[in-house]
Amino acid sequence: MQHHFSNEDINQVLDVVTETTLASFWDWKIQEDTQFISPKFKKILGYENTELPNTHETWKSLIHPEDLPRALESIEKHISSKGVHPFREYIRYRRKDHAVIWVICSGRVINWGPKGNPLRMIGTSVDITELKEQTAQIKKNQKRFEILHEAIHAGIWDWNILNGKLYCSDRFYEILGYAPKEIPQLYNEVEKLIHPDDLSWVRHALAEHLNDKLPFSHTFRLRHKNGSYHWVESRGNAIRDETEQPLRMIGSIIDVDEAQKSRIELKRSNFLLRETARIAKCGGWEYDFHSKTIYWSNAVRLIHEVDPSFNPTLLNIIRFSLHEDYPFIKLEMTKCFQTKSSFEIEIPIYTAKQNKRWVRIYAKMITDDAGNPILLRGIYHDITHFREQQQELKSTIQALKAHNDRLQEFAHIVSHNMRSHTGNLNILCSLSKNEPDLLEKDKIQKMIENTASKLNATIEEIIQVIQVQAFDPEERRQCGLLDSFNNALHSLSSEIQKSPCRITHDFSESPSILFDKKFLDSIFVNLISNAIRYKHPQRNLTLHIESSQPEKGKQLIKFQDNGIGIDLKRHGKKVFGLYNTFHGNPDAHGVGLYLVKNQLQALGANIRIESIPNMGSSLIIEISSS
Amino acid sequence: MNENIIETAYLIDDDRIYLYTAERFIKYLKLCKNIKVYRDAQTALNQLSKELSIEDSPDIILLDINMPVMDGWQFLEEFKKIHPKLKKKPTIYLVTSSVLPSDIEKAKSISLVSDYIVKPVTPEGLEKIFKSIKNKSS
């Protein structure tokens, strides 16, 4: 059945179409030069229906001048091709308010004259401005996106999960040193570039994103064409179907190689710095002139043995140093402030736990362009260990030097004494050989014997001294003073009987010392016999021997007599020297006190003398347990 | 004047053997007329401090360093004080068995000391010393 539309019907249909869609129409009667422009279209352009006359000229005037030639040309083509070439153009119109709108304009000649000339052409105009703007926006966004990726130097990848294809942008290849598409665009091929150490966790991360929707944003290594690995940061997002099944995953990679390598290097440097500081016991500090605050690194806190909550200030940190050092510290600081340079001091401190430490404090002044101080920045260095070693080294050197001096002196003195005896023997022998007088010869013979026995005695003494020098301090034992005292009196009994004397003792305060028994016996014998030998000719000898402990770790034994004494100004330096005698006493050998001093020194003790001539002497033995 | 111009020698030493041998050699070699022997420096100094005749004043002093009570150095210090008053200025030799470099240095630094002789002192050594003085004086 055929349905016929009346004119009225058609108008109604058209009305509906034009009301409900954006389409509007025009009807150009070419010979009459009228062109009906639907009120709807006029409204789109911002005009009332009556405002515009329905003429072809009106229509043309509404078209954007730049698009008019193209529009007319297209209509001309349509007509000259007798309707074969369709008229369909995107044309811009100008609204009454001068705004430009985009329109799809299409039309067709519906009536032809007998000479093939067009009589009537009708067409539609569809406002596609919104669509066009959206497209432009999309293009703009795309451009922006490209610029953005260009700016961050990102490579783009697009992975079709269903077929395994992986599209990579040119930049993606460039980052890895390849020409575009040099690597087949397949996931499996690209995956081969991932560093073996990173591969398994990257796969895991991808799976977590695809299955569990965890964000995919990771830094890993990809193999560069030159064989080295480059750090890249990659982010991606899956596109899923309506059942949340991932179809594609699109992402980017950024070359973060330098940043990552710097980060790793920084981490390494930080570690090294921290460890070095820990091992070197060295930490950083700062003083801010503006806020008047002090910053201490952890290492500095450790040096001071304060807890992390300790807040250093100028007032509380000065208290770690000794009071006597304040002027020195102040002076150095002032110098630094005045010269705006640096300062470096080495001072002892007492930590929060009252441990003594030596620190080297160094600081450099940092000033602004105008030369005003901003910061004092420097280091604290715990040099206790160095100081102790230095001290130890110093005392070792001193001990060695003293020992060496003693040995040298000993060698010279021994050679002196031996030489004088051997020299005499030599001369006496040659005298004796040529001596005709028997009596004289006999006298010389006696002298030879005498000298020989002196030489022998000298050698005995030397052996004794050498034994002392070779003594090992490890062999010290606790020795009772009273025991050695009694032994000495016993062995000196004949001398004591010869001259009346009073020898008293008091060992109650310090009854024993850490010493060598044999040496202690010998010291008592030597010092008591010395006192007897140098008693004052006008009075009987009184000798008092007393031990005491004036402080912890220190013991004294004092031998006080009323003998002839000694002029210390004259002989002080030589009292304890070998073969030094001062009184012309025929019994003096000059060995006794030398031996005593050596025995004491071998055991880390010492002896000194106080004396007033004609009044008496005090020999004081000092033993330090350290 | 006698052809032997060295009249008097002082020997100062605490070593009896040395004194005996040195005296014997000097006498045997006839190196001087008078020999005075002192076992300690103080006695010798006391003797020198007295107003001595030319004859009794020593031409030469052989002085030991290591002696008790007053050693050679102390003797020299005291001797310096009386030296200007002496009519005859003696030549002083230090005679010692010490080979300590410090002793030798010290001896050289004292202008009164002519030389330093290391023991044992032989007849040849003594002859040389006495002859050098004779040459110096003539």
Side-chain angles (χ1 to χ4, degrees):
Chain A
M1 204 172 77
Q2 211 173 6
H3 189 84
H4 289 277
F5 285 108
S6 67
N7 270 347
E8 204 173 327
D9 288 338
I10 289 167
N11 277 336
Q12 274 177 348
V13 169
L14 277 172
D15 278 347
V16 170
V17 170
T18 52
E19 287 298 320
T20 55
T21 70
L22 292 171
S24 45
F25 73 97
W26 46 267
D27 183 353
W28 179 24
K29 293 187 177 118
I30 296 162
Q31 280 172 326
E32 294 163 25
D33 195 27
T34 61
Q35 186 166 356
F36 175 77
I37 300 163
S38 69
K40 169 86 184 173
F41 191 59
K42 287 178 185 165
K43 201 175 181 186
I44 287 168
L45 293 172
Y47 296 100
E48 292 300 321
N49 187 23
T50 53
E51 220 173 324
L52 294 172
N54 286 324
T55 66
H56 185 56
E57 282 308 309
T58 305
W59 184 70
K60 283 200 287 187
S61 72
L62 293 169
I63 293 171
H64 194 286
E66 283 176 18
D67 292 351
L68 184 61
R70 185 162 47 85
L72 295 179
E73 194 185 322
S74 189
I75 289 172
E76 189 51 48
K77 249 188 184 167
H78 174 72
I79 293 167
S80 62
S81 69
K82 299 285 183 242
V84 174
H85 195 280
F87 170 66
R88 185 183 165 82
E89 289 293 331
Y90 290 88
I91 297 172
R92 282 172 293 174
Y93 281 78
R94 278 199 306 203
R95 281 166 50 111
K96 192 181 177 183
D97 60 4
H98 303 297
V100 173
I101 62 165
W102 279 94
V103 170
I104 297 180
C105 198
S106 43
R108 194 158 62 90
V109 175
I110 54 165
N111 281 338
W112 299 89
K115 290 176 191 161
N117 58 317
L119 298 176
R120 189 178 175 190
M121 186 170 176
I122 60 166
T124 57
S125 302
V126 179
D127 180 4
I128 56 156
T129 306
E130 207 174 308
L131 197 67
K132 201 71 180 168
E133 272 173 359
Q134 275 173 353
T135 313
Q137 191 63 38
I138 287 166
K139 270 195 178 154
K140 216 160 119 191
N141 280 347
Q142 202 165 4
K143 190 75 190 163
R144 214 178 264 161
F145 183 69
E146 279 165 18
I147 289 168
L148 201 64
H149 278 94
E150 186 64 26
I152 59 170
H153 259 57
I156 307 294
W157 50 268
D158 181 352
W159 174 26
N160 185 328
I161 294 161
L162 302 177
N163 65 13
K165 281 192 179 160
L166 182 73
Y167 158 81
C168 299
S169 74
D170 293 354
R171 175 66 191 153
F172 188 103
Y173 288 101
E174 194 193 323
I175 287 170
L176 299 175
Y178 289 98
K181 303 186 177 55
E182 197 177 334
I183 299 162
Q185 305 225 38
L186 291 166
Y187 173 82
N188 286 343
E189 292 297 321
V190 175
E191 197 193 63
K192 286 179 189 162
L193 302 176
I194 298 175
H195 192 284
D197 291 352
D198 296 337
L199 182 58
S200 69
W201 72 257
V202 170
R203 275 181 181 166
H204 185 70
L206 280 170
E208 274 186 335
H209 176 71
L210 297 177
N211 302 332
D212 307 329
K213 297 186 183 172
L214 291 181
F216 182 81
S217 172
H218 296 285
T219 302
F220 52 90
R221 286 161 289 184
L222 287 177
R223 198 173 64 239
H224 192 269
K225 194 178 179 182
N226 68 16
S228 70
Y229 280 91
H230 265 232
W231 286 96
V232 298
E233 187 182 300
S234 186
R235 289 160 198 248
N237 224 336
I239 295 167
R240 300 164 196 274
D241 65 11
E242 56 276 17
T243 65
E244 298 291 332
Q245 278 304 304
L247 303 173
R248 286 164 73 190
M249 185 167 168
I250 299 172
S252 63
I253 63 165
I254 305 171
D255 186 354
V256 292
D257 196 50
E258 265 179 47
Q260 183 69 7
K261 278 178 182 160
S262 315
R263 206 173 300 147
I264 290 167
E265 183 57 31
L266 187 67
K267 232 173 163 178
R268 206 172 65 92
S269 304
N270 269 341
F271 172 79
L272 284 178
L273 188 69
R274 206 174 50 238
E275 283 302 292
T276 309
R278 191 179 63 78
I279 291 163
K281 293 182 178 173
C282 192
W285 71 283
E286 275 181 9
Y287 174 69
D288 186 325
F289 284 92
H290 179 66
S291 63
K292 307 223 182 304
T293 51
I294 292 173
Y295 160 79
W296 273 10
S297 76
N298 272 343
V300 178
R301 286 170 203 278
L302 279 178
I303 289 170
H304 289 82
E305 298 189 300
V306 292
D307 52 54
S309 66
F310 178 78
N311 184 27
T313 66
L314 280 181
L315 280 177
N316 66 17
I317 65 169
I318 188 83
R319 291 198 203 116
F320 288 107
S321 51
L322 302 182
H323 206 271
E324 67 218 52
D325 288 334
Y326 286 9
F328 166 66
I329 296 167
K330 203 177 156 189
L331 180 74
E332 291 298 311
M333 292 276 268
T334 313
K335 257 197 270 175
C336 171
F337 287 178
Q338 278 167 356
T339 58
K340 285 167 188 164
S341 55
S342 60
F343 87 102
E344 186 168 4
I345 53 172
E346 281 181 23
I347 51 163
I349 57 162
Y350 279 91
T351 68
K353 293 181 181 167
Q354 289 306 309
N355 291 312
K356 187 182 178 181
R357 282 184 182 168
W358 275 88
V359 290
R360 178 186 294 136
I361 308 170
Y362 171 79
K364 200 179 152 98
M365 174 85 78
I366 292 164
T367 56
D368 63 14
D369 293 340
N372 301 313
I374 303 171
L375 273 182
L376 205 54
R377 177 182 286 158
I379 55 161
Y380 260 88
H381 191 184
D382 183 347
I383 53 165
T384 314
H385 190 55
F386 299 110
R387 276 269 169 175
E388 278 168 358
Q389 275 182 337
Q390 217 171 22
Q391 209 54 45
E392 210 171 296
L393 198 65
K394 231 186 229 169
S395 62
T396 307
I397 289 170
Q398 258 168 9
L400 277 176
K401 194 176 174 303
H403 195 71
N404 198 36
D405 286 350
R406 272 207 308 279
L407 281 179
Q408 205 155 19
E409 187 195 54
F410 177 70
H412 278 299
I413 290 165
V414 162
S415 76
H416 168 267
N417 258 47
M418 303 251 284
R419 278 174 59 92
S420 63
H421 292 319
T422 52
N424 282 341
L425 275 179
N426 208 13
I427 299 285
L428 285 170
C429 287
S430 66
L431 262 181
S432 161
K433 207 166 25 177
N434 302 321
E435 184 56 62
D437 185 345
L438 280 179
L439 273 174
E440 200 65 33
K441 202 171 180 145
D442 196 42
K443 196 173 159 190
I444 294 170
Q445 185 60 36
K446 287 233 166 65
M447 284 189 196
I448 290 175
E449 283 165 19
N450 191 10
T451 307
S453 78
K454 272 188 185 164
L455 181 60
N456 198 45
T458 301
I459 290 170
E460 284 300 321
E461 286 159 6
I462 289 165
I463 288 167
Q464 238 185 320
V465 173
I466 289 171
Q467 277 172 345
V468 173
Q469 305 271 8
F471 182 78
D472 181 1
E474 293 298 312
E475 288 171 33
R476 285 180 296 184
R477 300 283 177 271
Q478 282 296 333
C479 304
L481 297 177
L482 186 61
D483 195 26
S484 288
F485 174 77
N486 287 333
N487 286 349
L489 290 193
H490 181 73
S491 61
L492 292 169
S493 52
S494 65
E495 280 93 332
I496 292 167
Q497 271 163 15
K498 266 186 229 160
S499 66
C501 61
R502 211 170 87 86
I503 302 175
T504 53
H505 66 86
D506 179 1
F507 303 132
S508 56
E509 194 176 317
S510 192
S512 70
I513 58 169
L514 190 61
F515 214 71
D516 178 76
K517 178 84 173 78
K518 246 183 16 220
F519 286 0
L520 192 60
D521 282 353
S522 154
I523 288 166
F524 268 88
V525 168
N526 264 310
L527 294 182
I528 294 170
S529 70
N530 238 29
I532 295 169
R533 194 174 300 144
Y534 300 115
K535 78 174 214 48
H536 197 281
Q538 262 100 57
R539 57 181 178 251
N540 287 341
L541 170 70
T542 48
L543 171 65
H544 181 64
I545 307 168
E546 190 180 294
S547 68
S548 62
Q549 190 164 357
E551 59 188 82
K552 198 169 175 281
K554 191 169 166 182
Q555 286 169 291
L556 297 179
I557 308 168
K558 191 170 176 183
F559 291 71
Q560 189 168 18
D561 67 41
N562 64 343
I564 55 173
I566 186 164
D567 182 354
L568 288 174
K569 267 191 201 139
R570 219 163 148 187
H571 303 296
K573 281 185 189 169
K574 299 196 286 187
V575 173
F576 300 102
L578 184 58
Y579 300 120
N580 282 319
T581 53
F582 311 99
H583 304 95
N585 187 317
D587 296 332
H589 289 267
V591 176
L593 286 180
Y594 177 79
L595 199 62
V596 167
K597 188 174 174 78
N598 273 271
Q599 284 166 333
L600 287 165
Q601 281 181 342
L603 286 136
N606 220 328
I607 185 165
R608 63 192 153 86
I609 183 166
E610 292 168 1
S611 180
I612 301 165
N614 289 319
M615 294 293 287
S617 309
S618 290
L619 284 142
I620 300 141
I621 294 172
E622 194 178 306
I623 304 133
S624 301
S625 61
S626 54
Chain B
M1 285 286 279
N2 199 303
E3 61 166 329
N4 186 359
I5 58 152
I6 300 178
E7 294 193 6
T8 306
Y10 276 25
L11 306 184
I12 309 171
D13 203 309
D14 65 326
D15 182 350
R16 283 177 225 225
I17 310 285
Y18 158 79
L19 290 173
Y20 171 78
T21 55
E23 192 180 358
R24 284 288 306 267
F25 286 139
I26 293 166
K27 276 184 182 161
Y28 176 74
L29 295 167
K30 299 187 173 63
L31 295 174
C32 74
K33 271 193 204 165
N34 309 315
I35 306 167
K36 297 229 169 184
V37 172
Y38 298 95
R39 286 207 55 226
D40 71 277
Q42 189 63 56
T43 314
L45 194 70
N46 293 345
Q47 181 66 18
L48 284 167
S49 308
K50 290 175 189 164
E51 288 272 322
L52 290 174
S53 65
I54 293 272
E55 221 169 75
D56 288 336
S57 295
D59 299 272
I60 180 167
I61 299 174
L62 302 185
L63 176 68
D64 185 25
I65 295 174
N66 280 298
M67 290 179 286
V69 187
M70 178 186 271
D71 67 14
W73 307 122
Q74 287 161 349
F75 171 85
L76 284 170
E77 258 169 57
E78 297 300 317
F79 180 73
K80 239 184 255 174
K81 294 175 194 164
I82 59 164
H83 184 255
K85 292 186 275 182
L86 295 175
K87 289 172 192 153
K88 199 155 71 179
K89 313 293 181 194
T91 309
I92 299 176
Y93 283 85
L94 282 177
V95 184
T96 177
S97 52
S98 168
V99 285
L100 276 176
S102 62
D103 279 352
I104 297 172
E105 281 305 307
K106 196 169 169 187
K108 282 181 181 166
S109 72
I110 298 171
S111 59
L112 287 171
V113 174
S114 289
D115 208 348
Y116 184 96
I117 301 154
V118 178
K119 285 181 186 173
V121 178
T122 57
E124 295 76 27
L126 286 167
E127 208 164 11
K128 218 169 127 186
I129 294 164
F130 278 75
K131 279 198 175 141
S132 74
I133 296 170
K134 203 163 124 185
N135 292 340
K136 206 165 68 180
S137 320
S138 57

